[in-house]
Amino acid sequence: MKANDMVANNYFGHVSPDLGTPDQMIRNAGITFIGGGEVIAEAANYSMAQMNLMNSPEHYQIIMGSANNEVGVAVVPVNNYVIVVEEFIDA
C-alpha cells in the first residue's frame, strides 16, 4: 500500500499525504502493534545492491531490531527504478 502510494502521489518519504505516518497507516489497516519502524529505499536500473540498506545505522537498527517480530515488504518497479518499502512491527 505504501509503495504504491509513493508512486501514485509522486513522493519519497515516510509521511504520506493520503496514508499519514507509518504508524497511522498500519493502525488504519486494523493492525494492533506495540512499536516498529519503516525502511524505504529506491534504486535506478532495478539495482537492489545500490540500496545497501544495512550500511545505514538507522535502517540497520530497524531491520535487526530484536523487538520486531512481523515484517511486510513491497518491491514496486517504476519505469527504470524500483521502490522498496519494509514495515516492521512488534505485534
Coordinates of all heavy atoms in Angstrom, one line a residue:
M1 N 0.8 -1.2 0.0 CA 0.0 0.0 0.0 C 0.9 1.3 0.0 O 0.6 2.2 -0.8 CB -0.9 0.0 1.2 CG -1.8 1.1 1.4 SD -3.1 1.0 2.6 CE -2.5 0.0 3.9
K2 N 1.9 1.3 0.8 CA 2.8 2.5 0.9 C 3.6 2.7 -0.3 O 3.7 3.8 -0.8 CB 3.7 2.3 2.2 CG 4.7 3.4 2.3 CD 4.1 4.8 2.6 CE 5.1 5.8 2.9 NZ 5.6 5.9 4.2
A3 N 4.2 1.6 -0.9 CA 5.0 1.7 -2.1 C 4.1 2.3 -3.2 O 4.5 3.2 -4.0 CB 5.6 0.4 -2.5
N4 N 2.9 1.7 -3.4 CA 2.0 2.2 -4.5 C 1.6 3.6 -4.2 O 1.4 4.4 -5.2 CB 0.8 1.3 -4.6 CG 1.2 -0.1 -5.2 OD1 2.1 -0.2 -6.0 ND2 0.5 -1.1 -4.7
D5 N 1.4 4.0 -3.0 CA 1.0 5.4 -2.6 C 2.1 6.3 -3.0 O 1.9 7.4 -3.6 CB 0.7 5.5 -1.1 CG 0.3 6.8 -0.7 OD1 -0.7 7.3 -1.2 OD2 1.1 7.5 0.1
M6 N 3.4 5.9 -2.8 CA 4.5 6.8 -3.2 C 4.6 7.0 -4.7 O 4.8 8.1 -5.1 CB 5.8 6.3 -2.6 CG 6.0 6.4 -1.1 SD 7.7 6.2 -0.5 CE 8.0 4.5 -0.9
V7 N 4.3 6.0 -5.4 CA 4.3 6.1 -6.9 C 3.1 7.0 -7.3 O 3.3 7.9 -8.1 CB 4.2 4.7 -7.5 CG1 4.0 4.8 -9.0 CG2 5.5 3.9 -7.2
A8 N 1.9 6.7 -6.8 CA 0.7 7.4 -7.2 C 0.8 8.9 -6.9 O 0.3 9.7 -7.7 CB -0.5 6.8 -6.6
N9 N 1.4 9.2 -5.7 CA 1.4 10.6 -5.3 C 2.8 11.3 -5.6 O 3.0 12.4 -5.1 CB 1.1 10.7 -3.8 CG -0.4 10.4 -3.6 OD1 -1.3 11.1 -4.2 ND2 -0.7 9.5 -2.8
N10 N 3.7 10.6 -6.3 CA 4.9 11.1 -6.7 C 5.8 11.7 -5.5 O 6.1 12.9 -5.6 CB 4.7 12.1 -7.8 CG 6.0 12.5 -8.5 OD1 6.9 11.6 -8.6 ND2 6.1 13.7 -9.0
Y11 N 6.0 10.9 -4.5 CA 6.8 11.4 -3.4 C 7.7 10.2 -2.9 O 7.4 9.1 -3.2 CB 6.0 11.9 -2.2 CG 5.3 10.9 -1.4 CD1 5.9 10.4 -0.2 CD2 4.1 10.3 -1.8 CE1 5.3 9.5 0.6 CE2 3.5 9.4 -1.1 CZ 4.1 8.9 0.1 OH 3.4 8.0 0.9
F12 N 8.7 10.6 -2.1 CA 9.5 9.5 -1.5 C 9.8 10.0 -0.1 O 10.5 11.0 0.2 CB 10.9 9.4 -2.2 CG 11.7 8.3 -1.7 CD1 11.5 7.0 -2.0 CD2 12.8 8.6 -0.8 CE1 12.3 6.0 -1.5 CE2 13.6 7.6 -0.3 CZ 13.3 6.3 -0.6
G13 N 9.1 9.4 0.9 CA 9.2 9.8 2.3 C 8.4 8.9 3.2 O 7.6 8.1 2.8
H14 N 8.6 9.2 4.5 CA 7.9 8.3 5.5 C 6.5 8.8 5.8 O 5.7 8.0 6.3 CB 8.7 8.3 6.8 CG 10.0 7.6 6.6 ND1 10.1 6.2 6.5 CD2 11.3 8.0 6.5 CE1 11.3 5.8 6.3 NE2 12.1 6.9 6.4
V15 N 6.1 10.1 5.4 CA 4.8 10.6 5.7 C 4.1 10.7 4.4 O 4.5 11.5 3.5 CB 4.8 11.9 6.5 CG1 3.4 12.4 6.8 CG2 5.6 11.7 7.8
S16 N 2.9 10.0 4.3 CA 2.1 10.1 3.1 C 1.1 11.1 3.2 O 0.4 11.3 4.2 CB 1.4 8.7 2.9 OG 0.4 8.8 2.0
P17 N 0.8 11.9 2.0 CA -0.3 12.8 2.1 C -1.6 12.2 2.2 O -2.6 12.8 2.7 CB -0.2 13.5 0.7 CG 0.7 12.6 -0.1 CD 1.5 11.8 0.8
D18 N -1.8 10.9 1.9 CA -3.0 10.2 2.0 C -3.1 9.2 3.2 O -4.1 9.1 3.8 CB -3.3 9.4 0.7 CG -3.6 10.3 -0.5 OD1 -4.0 11.4 -0.3 OD2 -3.3 9.8 -1.6
L19 N -2.0 8.5 3.5 CA -2.0 7.5 4.5 C -1.4 8.0 5.8 O -1.6 7.3 6.8 CB -1.1 6.3 4.0 CG -1.5 5.7 2.7 CD1 -0.5 4.7 2.2 CD2 -2.9 5.1 2.8
G20 N -0.8 9.1 5.9 CA -0.3 9.6 7.1 C 1.1 9.0 7.4 O 1.8 8.6 6.6
T21 N 1.4 8.9 8.7 CA 2.7 8.3 9.2 C 2.6 6.8 9.0 O 1.5 6.2 8.9 CB 2.9 8.7 10.6 OG1 1.9 8.0 11.5 CG2 2.9 10.2 10.9
P22 N 3.7 6.1 9.1 CA 3.7 4.7 9.1 C 2.8 4.1 10.2 O 2.0 3.2 9.9 CB 5.1 4.3 9.3 CG 5.9 5.4 8.7 CD 5.1 6.6 9.1
D23 N 2.9 4.6 11.4 CA 2.0 4.1 12.5 C 0.5 4.3 12.2 O -0.3 3.4 12.4 CB 2.3 4.9 13.8 CG 3.7 4.4 14.4 OD1 4.3 3.5 13.8 OD2 4.0 5.0 15.5
Q24 N 0.2 5.5 11.6 CA -1.2 5.7 11.3 C -1.7 4.8 10.2 O -2.8 4.2 10.3 CB -1.4 7.2 10.8 CG -1.2 8.2 11.9 CD -1.2 9.6 11.3 OE1 -0.6 9.8 10.2 NE2 -1.7 10.6 12.0
M25 N -0.9 4.5 9.2 CA -1.2 3.7 8.1 C -1.5 2.2 8.6 O -2.4 1.6 8.2 CB -0.1 3.7 7.0 CG -0.3 2.7 5.9 SD 1.1 2.6 4.8 CE 2.3 1.8 5.9
I26 N -0.6 1.8 9.5 CA -0.7 0.4 10.0 C -1.9 0.3 10.9 O -2.7 -0.7 10.8 CB 0.6 0.0 10.7 CG1 1.8 -0.1 9.7 CG2 0.4 -1.3 11.5 CD1 3.1 -0.2 10.4
R27 N -2.1 1.2 11.8 CA -3.3 1.2 12.6 C -4.6 1.3 11.8 O -5.6 0.6 12.1 CB -3.3 2.3 13.6 CG -2.3 2.0 14.8 CD -2.5 3.0 16.0 NE -1.5 2.6 17.0 CZ -0.3 3.0 17.1 NH1 0.1 4.0 16.3 NH2 0.5 2.6 18.1
N28 N -4.6 2.1 10.8 CA -5.8 2.2 9.9 C -6.1 1.0 9.1 O -7.2 0.8 8.7 CB -5.7 3.4 9.0 CG -5.8 4.8 9.7 OD1 -6.4 4.8 10.8 ND2 -5.3 5.8 9.1
A29 N -5.1 0.1 9.0 CA -5.3 -1.2 8.3 C -5.8 -2.2 9.3 O -6.0 -3.4 8.9 CB -4.0 -1.6 7.7
G30 N -6.0 -1.8 10.5 CA -6.6 -2.7 11.5 C -5.6 -3.6 12.3 O -6.0 -4.6 12.9
I31 N -4.3 -3.2 12.2 CA -3.3 -4.0 12.8 C -2.9 -3.3 14.2 O -2.6 -2.1 14.2 CB -2.0 -4.0 11.9 CG1 -2.4 -4.7 10.6 CG2 -0.9 -4.8 12.6 CD1 -1.4 -4.6 9.5
T32 N -2.9 -4.1 15.2 CA -2.5 -3.7 16.5 C -1.0 -4.1 16.7 O -0.6 -5.2 16.4 CB -3.4 -4.4 17.6 OG1 -4.7 -4.1 17.3 CG2 -3.0 -3.9 19.0
F33 N -0.3 -3.1 17.2 CA 1.1 -3.3 17.4 C 1.7 -2.5 18.6 O 1.0 -1.5 18.9 CB 1.9 -3.1 16.2 CG 1.9 -1.7 15.7 CD1 3.0 -0.9 15.9 CD2 0.8 -1.2 15.0 CE1 3.0 0.4 15.4 CE2 0.8 0.1 14.5 CZ 1.9 0.9 14.7
I34 N 2.8 -2.8 19.1 CA 3.4 -2.1 20.2 C 4.4 -1.0 19.7 O 4.4 0.1 20.1 CB 4.2 -3.1 21.1 CG1 3.2 -4.1 21.7 CG2 5.0 -2.3 22.2 CD1 3.9 -5.3 22.3
G35 N 5.2 -1.4 18.7 CA 6.1 -0.4 18.1 C 6.6 -1.0 16.8 O 6.1 -2.0 16.3
G36 N 7.5 -0.2 16.1 CA 8.0 -0.7 14.8 C 8.8 0.3 14.1 O 9.2 1.3 14.7
G37 N 9.0 0.2 12.8 CA 9.7 1.1 12.0 C 9.5 0.8 10.6 O 9.0 -0.2 10.2
E38 N 9.9 1.8 9.8 CA 9.7 1.7 8.3 C 11.0 2.0 7.7 O 11.8 2.9 8.0 CB 8.7 2.7 7.9 CG 8.5 2.8 6.4 CD 7.4 3.8 6.0 OE1 7.8 5.0 5.9 OE2 6.3 3.4 5.7
V39 N 11.3 1.2 6.7 CA 12.5 1.4 5.8 C 12.0 1.6 4.4 O 11.3 0.7 3.9 CB 13.5 0.2 5.9 CG1 14.6 0.3 5.0 CG2 14.0 0.0 7.4
I40 N 12.5 2.7 3.8 CA 12.1 2.9 2.4 C 13.4 3.1 1.6 O 14.4 3.6 2.1 CB 11.2 4.1 2.2 CG1 11.8 5.4 2.7 CG2 9.8 3.8 2.8 CD1 10.9 6.6 2.4
A41 N 13.4 2.7 0.4 CA 14.6 2.8 -0.5 C 14.2 2.8 -1.9 O 13.1 2.3 -2.3 CB 15.6 1.7 -0.2
E42 N 15.0 3.4 -2.8 CA 14.8 3.3 -4.2 C 16.2 3.2 -4.9 O 17.2 3.6 -4.3 CB 14.1 4.6 -4.7 CG 14.8 5.9 -4.5 CD 13.9 7.1 -5.0 OE1 12.9 6.9 -5.6 OE2 14.4 8.2 -4.8
A43 N 16.1 2.7 -6.1 CA 17.4 2.5 -6.8 C 17.1 2.5 -8.3 O 16.1 2.0 -8.8 CB 18.1 1.2 -6.4
A44 N 18.0 3.1 -9.0 CA 17.9 3.2 -10.5 C 18.3 1.8 -11.1 O 19.0 1.0 -10.5 CB 18.8 4.2 -11.1
N45 N 17.7 1.5 -12.2 CA 18.0 0.3 -13.0 C 17.7 -1.0 -12.2 O 18.4 -2.0 -12.4 CB 19.5 0.3 -13.5 CG 19.8 1.5 -14.4 OD1 18.9 1.9 -15.2 ND2 20.9 2.2 -14.1
Y46 N 16.8 -0.9 -11.3 CA 16.3 -2.0 -10.5 C 17.4 -2.7 -9.7 O 17.4 -3.9 -9.5 CB 15.7 -3.1 -11.4 CG 14.6 -2.6 -12.3 CD1 14.8 -2.5 -13.7 CD2 13.4 -2.1 -11.8 CE1 13.8 -2.0 -14.5 CE2 12.4 -1.6 -12.6 CZ 12.6 -1.5 -13.9 OH 11.6 -1.0 -14.7
S47 N 18.4 -1.9 -9.3 CA 19.6 -2.4 -8.6 C 19.4 -2.5 -7.1 O 19.6 -1.4 -6.4 CB 20.9 -1.6 -9.0 OG 21.9 -2.1 -8.2
M48 N 19.0 -3.6 -6.6 CA 18.8 -3.7 -5.1 C 20.1 -3.5 -4.4 O 20.2 -3.1 -3.3 CB 18.2 -5.1 -4.8 CG 16.8 -5.3 -5.4 SD 15.6 -4.3 -4.8 CE 15.3 -5.0 -3.2
A49 N 21.2 -3.9 -5.1 CA 22.6 -3.7 -4.5 C 22.9 -2.3 -4.2 O 23.6 -2.0 -3.2 CB 23.6 -4.4 -5.3
Q50 N 22.4 -1.4 -5.0 CA 22.6 0.1 -4.8 C 22.0 0.5 -3.5 O 22.5 1.5 -2.9 CB 22.0 0.9 -5.9 CG 22.7 0.9 -7.2 CD 22.0 1.8 -8.2 OE1 21.0 2.3 -8.0 NE2 22.6 2.0 -9.4
M51 N 21.0 -0.1 -3.0 CA 20.3 0.4 -1.8 C 21.2 0.2 -0.6 O 21.2 1.0 0.3 CB 19.0 -0.4 -1.6 CG 18.0 0.0 -2.7 SD 16.5 -0.8 -2.5 CE 15.7 -0.5 -4.0
N52 N 21.8 -1.0 -0.5 CA 22.8 -1.2 0.6 C 22.2 -0.8 2.0 O 22.8 0.0 2.7 CB 24.1 -0.6 0.4 CG 25.2 -1.3 1.0 OD1 25.0 -2.3 1.6 ND2 26.5 -0.9 0.7
L53 N 21.0 -1.2 2.3 CA 20.3 -0.8 3.5 C 21.0 -1.0 4.8 O 20.8 -0.3 5.8 CB 18.9 -1.5 3.5 CG 18.0 -1.1 2.4 CD1 16.7 -1.9 2.5 CD2 17.7 0.3 2.3
M54 N 21.8 -2.0 4.9 CA 22.5 -2.4 6.1 C 23.6 -1.4 6.5 O 24.1 -1.4 7.6 CB 23.0 -3.8 6.1 CG 21.9 -4.8 5.9 SD 20.6 -4.8 7.2 CE 21.4 -5.8 8.4
N55 N 24.0 -0.5 5.6 CA 25.1 0.5 5.9 C 24.5 1.7 6.6 O 25.3 2.5 7.1 CB 25.8 0.9 4.6 CG 26.8 -0.1 4.2 OD1 27.2 -0.9 4.9 ND2 27.3 0.1 2.9
S56 N 23.2 1.8 6.6 CA 22.6 3.0 7.4 C 22.4 2.5 8.8 O 21.7 1.5 9.0 CB 21.3 3.3 6.7 OG 20.5 4.0 7.6
P57 N 23.0 3.2 9.8 CA 22.7 2.8 11.2 C 21.2 2.8 11.6 O 20.8 1.9 12.3 CB 23.5 3.9 12.0 CG 24.5 4.4 11.1 CD 23.9 4.3 9.7
E58 N 20.5 3.7 11.1 CA 19.0 3.8 11.4 C 18.3 2.6 10.8 O 17.5 1.9 11.4 CB 18.4 5.1 10.9 CG 18.9 6.3 11.6 CD 20.2 6.8 11.0 OE1 20.7 6.4 10.0 OE2 20.8 7.8 11.7
H59 N 18.6 2.3 9.5 CA 18.0 1.1 8.8 C 18.4 -0.2 9.5 O 17.6 -1.1 9.7 CB 18.3 1.1 7.3 CG 17.7 2.2 6.5 ND1 18.2 2.6 5.3 CD2 16.6 2.9 6.8 CE1 17.3 3.5 4.8 NE2 16.4 3.7 5.7
Y60 N 19.7 -0.3 9.8 CA 20.2 -1.5 10.4 C 19.5 -1.8 11.8 O 19.1 -2.9 12.0 CB 21.7 -1.4 10.7 CG 22.3 -2.6 11.3 CD1 22.8 -3.6 10.5 CD2 22.4 -2.8 12.7 CE1 23.3 -4.8 11.0 CE2 23.0 -3.9 13.2 CZ 23.4 -4.9 12.4 OH 24.0 -6.0 12.9
Q61 N 19.3 -0.7 12.6 CA 18.6 -0.9 13.8 C 17.2 -1.3 13.7 O 16.7 -2.2 14.4 CB 18.6 0.4 14.6 CG 18.0 0.3 16.0 CD 18.2 1.6 16.8 OE1 18.6 2.7 16.3 NE2 17.8 1.6 18.0
I62 N 16.5 -0.8 12.7 CA 15.1 -1.2 12.4 C 15.1 -2.7 11.9 O 14.3 -3.5 12.4 CB 14.4 -0.3 11.4 CG1 14.2 1.1 12.1 CG2 13.1 -0.8 11.0 CD1 13.8 2.2 11.1
I63 N 15.9 -3.0 10.9 CA 15.9 -4.3 10.3 C 16.3 -5.4 11.3 O 15.7 -6.4 11.4 CB 16.8 -4.3 9.1 CG1 16.2 -3.4 8.0 CG2 17.0 -5.7 8.6 CD1 17.2 -3.1 6.8
M64 N 17.3 -5.1 12.1 CA 17.8 -6.1 13.1 C 17.2 -6.0 14.5 O 17.6 -6.7 15.3 CB 19.3 -6.0 13.1 CG 20.0 -6.2 11.8 SD 19.6 -7.8 11.0 CE 20.5 -8.9 12.1
G65 N 16.3 -5.0 14.6 CA 15.7 -4.8 15.9 C 15.1 -6.1 16.5 O 14.2 -6.7 15.9
S66 N 15.5 -6.4 17.7 CA 15.0 -7.7 18.3 C 13.5 -7.6 18.7 O 12.9 -8.7 18.8 CB 15.8 -8.0 19.6 OG 15.7 -7.0 20.5
A67 N 13.0 -6.5 18.9 CA 11.5 -6.4 19.2 C 10.6 -6.6 18.1 O 9.5 -7.0 18.2 CB 11.3 -5.0 19.9
N68 N 11.1 -6.4 16.8 CA 10.3 -6.5 15.7 C 10.1 -8.0 15.3 O 11.1 -8.7 15.1 CB 10.9 -5.8 14.5 CG 10.9 -4.3 14.7 OD1 10.1 -3.7 15.3 ND2 12.0 -3.6 14.2
N69 N 8.8 -8.4 15.3 CA 8.6 -9.9 15.0 C 7.7 -10.1 13.8 O 7.3 -11.2 13.5 CB 8.1 -10.6 16.2 CG 6.8 -9.9 16.8 OD1 6.1 -9.2 16.1 ND2 6.6 -10.1 18.1
E70 N 7.3 -9.0 13.1 CA 6.5 -9.1 11.9 C 7.1 -8.1 10.9 O 7.5 -7.0 11.2 CB 5.0 -8.7 12.2 CG 4.3 -9.6 13.2 CD 3.9 -10.9 12.7 OE1 3.8 -11.1 11.4 OE2 3.7 -11.8 13.5
V71 N 7.0 -8.5 9.6 CA 7.5 -7.6 8.6 C 6.7 -7.7 7.3 O 6.2 -8.8 7.0 CB 9.0 -7.9 8.2 CG1 9.2 -9.3 7.7 CG2 9.6 -6.9 7.2
G72 N 6.4 -6.6 6.7 CA 5.8 -6.6 5.4 C 6.7 -5.9 4.4 O 7.3 -4.9 4.7
V73 N 6.9 -6.5 3.2 CA 7.8 -6.0 2.2 C 7.1 -5.8 0.9 O 6.4 -6.7 0.5 CB 9.0 -7.0 2.1 CG1 10.0 -6.4 1.0 CG2 9.7 -7.2 3.4
A74 N 7.4 -4.7 0.3 CA 6.9 -4.4 -1.1 C 8.0 -4.0 -2.0 O 8.9 -3.2 -1.5 CB 5.8 -3.3 -1.0
V75 N 8.1 -4.5 -3.2 CA 9.0 -4.1 -4.2 C 8.2 -3.7 -5.4 O 7.6 -4.5 -6.0 CB 10.0 -5.2 -4.5 CG1 11.0 -4.7 -5.6 CG2 10.8 -5.7 -3.2
V76 N 8.3 -2.4 -5.8 CA 7.5 -1.9 -6.9 C 8.4 -1.3 -8.0 O 9.1 -0.3 -7.7 CB 6.5 -0.9 -6.4 CG1 5.7 -0.3 -7.6 CG2 5.5 -1.4 -5.4
P77 N 8.4 -2.0 -9.2 CA 9.2 -1.4 -10.3 C 8.4 -0.2 -10.9 O 7.2 -0.3 -11.1 CB 9.3 -2.5 -11.3 CG 8.2 -3.4 -11.0 CD 7.8 -3.2 -9.5
V78 N 9.2 0.9 -11.2 CA 8.6 2.0 -11.8 C 9.6 2.5 -12.9 O 10.7 2.9 -12.5 CB 8.3 3.2 -10.8 CG1 7.7 4.4 -11.4 CG2 7.5 2.7 -9.6
N79 N 9.1 2.5 -14.1 CA 10.0 2.9 -15.2 C 11.4 2.3 -15.1 O 11.4 1.1 -15.2 CB 10.1 4.5 -15.3 CG 8.8 5.1 -15.5 OD1 7.9 4.6 -16.3 ND2 8.5 6.2 -14.9
N80 N 12.4 3.0 -14.8 CA 13.8 2.4 -14.8 C 14.3 2.3 -13.4 O 15.5 2.2 -13.2 CB 14.7 3.1 -15.7 CG 15.0 4.5 -15.2 OD1 14.2 5.1 -14.4 ND2 16.1 5.1 -15.6
Y81 N 13.4 2.4 -12.4 CA 13.9 2.2 -11.0 C 12.9 1.4 -10.2 O 11.9 1.0 -10.7 CB 14.1 3.6 -10.3 CG 12.9 4.4 -10.1 CD1 12.3 4.5 -8.8 CD2 12.3 5.2 -11.1 CE1 11.2 5.2 -8.6 CE2 11.2 5.9 -10.9 CZ 10.6 6.0 -9.6 OH 9.5 6.7 -9.4
V82 N 13.3 1.1 -8.9 CA 12.5 0.3 -8.1 C 12.4 1.0 -6.7 O 13.3 1.6 -6.3 CB 13.1 -1.2 -7.9 CG1 14.4 -1.1 -7.2 CG2 12.2 -2.1 -7.2
I83 N 11.2 0.8 -6.1 CA 10.9 1.3 -4.8 C 10.7 0.1 -3.9 O 10.0 -0.8 -4.2 CB 9.7 2.2 -4.8 CG1 9.9 3.5 -5.5 CG2 9.2 2.5 -3.3 CD1 8.8 4.5 -5.6
V84 N 11.3 0.2 -2.7 CA 11.2 -0.9 -1.7 C 10.7 -0.3 -0.4 O 11.2 0.8 0.0 CB 12.6 -1.6 -1.5 CG1 12.4 -2.6 -0.3 CG2 13.0 -2.3 -2.7
V85 N 9.7 -0.9 0.1 CA 9.2 -0.4 1.4 C 9.1 -1.7 2.3 O 8.6 -2.7 2.0 CB 7.7 0.2 1.3 CG1 7.2 0.5 2.7 CG2 7.7 1.4 0.4
E86 N 9.7 -1.5 3.5 CA 9.6 -2.6 4.6 C 9.0 -2.0 5.8 O 9.5 -1.0 6.3 CB 11.0 -3.1 4.9 CG 11.8 -3.6 3.7 CD 13.2 -3.9 3.9 OE1 13.8 -3.3 4.8 OE2 13.7 -4.8 3.3
E87 N 7.9 -2.6 6.3 CA 7.3 -2.2 7.5 C 7.5 -3.3 8.6 O 7.2 -4.4 8.4 CB 5.8 -2.1 7.3 CG 5.3 -1.1 6.2 CD 5.6 0.4 6.6 OE1 5.8 0.7 7.8 OE2 5.5 1.2 5.7
F88 N 8.2 -2.9 9.6 CA 8.5 -3.8 10.8 C 7.6 -3.4 12.0 O 7.5 -2.2 12.3 CB 9.9 -3.6 11.2 CG 10.9 -4.1 10.1 CD1 11.3 -3.2 9.1 CD2 11.4 -5.3 10.1 CE1 12.2 -3.6 8.1 CE2 12.3 -5.8 9.2 CZ 12.7 -4.9 8.2
I89 N 7.1 -4.4 12.6 CA 6.3 -4.2 13.9 C 6.6 -5.2 14.9 O 7.0 -6.3 14.6 CB 4.8 -4.1 13.6 CG1 4.2 -5.4 13.1 CG2 4.4 -2.9 12.7 CD1 2.7 -5.5 13.1
D90 N 6.4 -4.8 16.1 CA 6.4 -5.7 17.3 C 4.9 -5.9 17.6 O 4.3 -5.0 18.1 CB 7.1 -5.0 18.5 CG 7.1 -5.8 19.8 OD1 6.6 -6.9 19.7 OD2 7.5 -5.3 20.8
A91 N 4.4 -7.0 17.2 CA 3.0 -7.3 17.3 C 2.6 -7.9 18.7 O 3.4 -8.5 19.3 CB 2.5 -8.2 16.2

